[in-house]
Amino acid sequence: MKKIFAQERHKMILDKLAQQSSVTIKELASSLNVSEATLRTDLTKLEQQNLLRRTHGGAILVDPNELDTSFSTRQMKNKDEKVAIAKAAMKTILNNQCIMLDASSTALELAHQLKDSPYRLTVVTSGLKVAMELNDSPQITVILLGGIVKQGSCSLEGTLGAEILNKIHVDQLFTSANGFSEEAGFTDFSVYEVELKKRMVKAATKTTVLLDHTKIDRNSIAAFAEITDIDTFITDEPVSDKYLELFKKHHIELIVTD
């Protein structure tokens, strides 16, 4: 069996946790074919990144309530960067398009920009705040995806209302993430919200990621998209040569804000 490197093991561990909420070291040792000592080191490193909690003999998913992930907190983080990213995203939108916004704080900044724009648009969203922000704009038709309201985040979870995505044409999805890395792709901290975001990515003709520089080379609990799933990446600072090459390889448009 080929050797599994640390980053690959970390992704496999997080994927397993996303599926079943808890794992044991013995179970991981058997499925990954590595020593229990190695896995203890892996779990310790992942715990230091707040991606899981160690337990006696294994690990469990982090309770999102333990993390600093409330919408109001996220909305205030890197505010200027998010505004700049939203302004850059505005330049990629065409009149009469159907676009989709997730429930992220960066998508809400884009909604602020759209509110007073001259564009006639249909906006599909999983964000309650995004929908309310655009509700009074006469030139914008808002479609709110159904689901379970997530306490503290103003987002909708689950795929209860996702069937509508099979009935409409979405020109472009604007989404953010809690983290992005070459190995893990685009990740978020809510397993349930991730399931809806997977459907949103699949439904859109084009996917644009809005991500400030602090989220790059950072992983969260569950992945909703791979690098091959996106078309445009908008960020606020130049990326490393590693990511320049990665985007070039996959023909992804990179936009860095002024």
Side-chain angles (χ1 to χ4, degrees):
M1 184 175 179
K2 74 168 186 175
K3 181 179 179 181
I4 302 175
F5 293 100
Q7 289 177 325
E8 294 177 274
R9 290 198 308 274
H10 294 175
K11 184 178 186 303
M12 291 176 179
I13 292 167
L14 293 173
D15 285 346
K16 206 165 191 65
L17 273 173
Q19 293 168 9
Q20 57 192 53
S21 299
S22 66
V23 292
T24 66
I25 288 177
K26 288 188 180 296
E27 173 189 356
L28 290 171
S30 174
S31 62
L32 300 182
N33 197 29
V34 293
S35 70
E36 293 187 11
T38 297
L39 286 166
R40 289 190 188 95
T41 301
D42 288 339
L43 295 181
T44 297
K45 287 181 178 178
L46 291 169
E47 184 177 45
Q48 289 169 351
Q49 297 176 55
N50 269 334
L51 296 175
L52 53 77
R53 288 280 179 268
R54 291 290 307 275
T55 61
H56 180 69
I60 59 173
L61 272 180
V62 175
D63 181 350
N65 293 323
E66 296 177 21
L67 301 176
D68 192 18
T69 56
S70 70
F71 189 88
S72 57
T73 300
R74 287 186 284 125
Q75 191 174 359
M76 296 311 297
K77 278 187 176 180
N78 303 314
K79 176 81 172 178
D80 292 342
E81 290 86 345
K82 290 173 182 177
V83 171
I85 289 169
K87 287 181 177 178
M90 280 287 293
K91 298 175 183 177
T92 71
I93 298 171
L94 300 176
N95 196 37
N96 294 317
Q97 281 190 325
C98 176
I99 66 171
M100 186 154 49
L101 307 183
D102 69 4
S104 65
S105 55
T106 311
L108 181 59
E109 290 297 341
L110 179 53
H112 287 325
Q113 302 291 326
L114 287 170
K115 184 176 182 179
D116 298 318
S117 76
Y119 294 129
R120 296 187 64 84
L121 300 168
T122 298
V123 177
V124 184
T125 184
S126 59
L128 295 175
K129 285 199 172 186
V130 170
M132 289 188 292
E133 179 70 18
L134 297 173
N135 186 50
D136 293 330
S137 301
Q139 77 280 15
I140 296 177
T141 300
V142 179
I143 299 174
L144 183 62
L145 295 173
I148 300 167
V149 178
K150 183 183 176 187
Q151 187 175 9
S153 76
C154 293
S155 66
L156 297 169
E157 294 181 339
T159 56
L160 291 175
E163 291 306 314
I164 193 171
L165 294 175
N166 298 327
K167 301 175 182 178
I168 57 177
H169 172 81
V170 177
D171 293 295
Q172 187 169 191
L173 164 66
F174 294 92
T175 184
S176 191
N178 193 239
F180 163 63
S181 69
E182 180 179 5
E183 299 77 22
F186 298 90
T187 55
D188 241 317
F189 49 78
S190 169
V191 175
Y192 305 104
E193 192 172 347
V194 157
E195 289 307 308
L196 178 56
K197 290 179 82 164
K198 285 179 181 178
R199 297 281 292 271
M200 293 166 75
V201 169
K202 187 177 180 180
T205 301
K206 178 181 179 181
T207 295
T208 296
V209 172
L210 314 174
L211 210 66
D212 72 71
H213 70 279
T214 64
K215 309 291 184 63
I216 299 175
D217 266 334
R218 169 178 162 181
N219 294 334
S220 196
I221 293 169
F224 64 87
E226 298 179 5
I227 187 70
T228 52
D229 293 320
I230 76 162
D231 302 280
T232 304
F233 188 97
I234 304 178
T235 189
D236 61 297
E237 288 189 3
V239 300
S240 66
D241 290 343
K242 165 186 163 183
Y243 285 110
L244 278 175
E245 288 299 316
L246 185 66
F247 294 150
K248 183 178 179 180
K249 175 183 175 182
H250 294 289
H251 308 289
I252 293 164
E253 180 185 15
L254 172 65
I255 298 174
V256 180
T257 63
D258 297 332

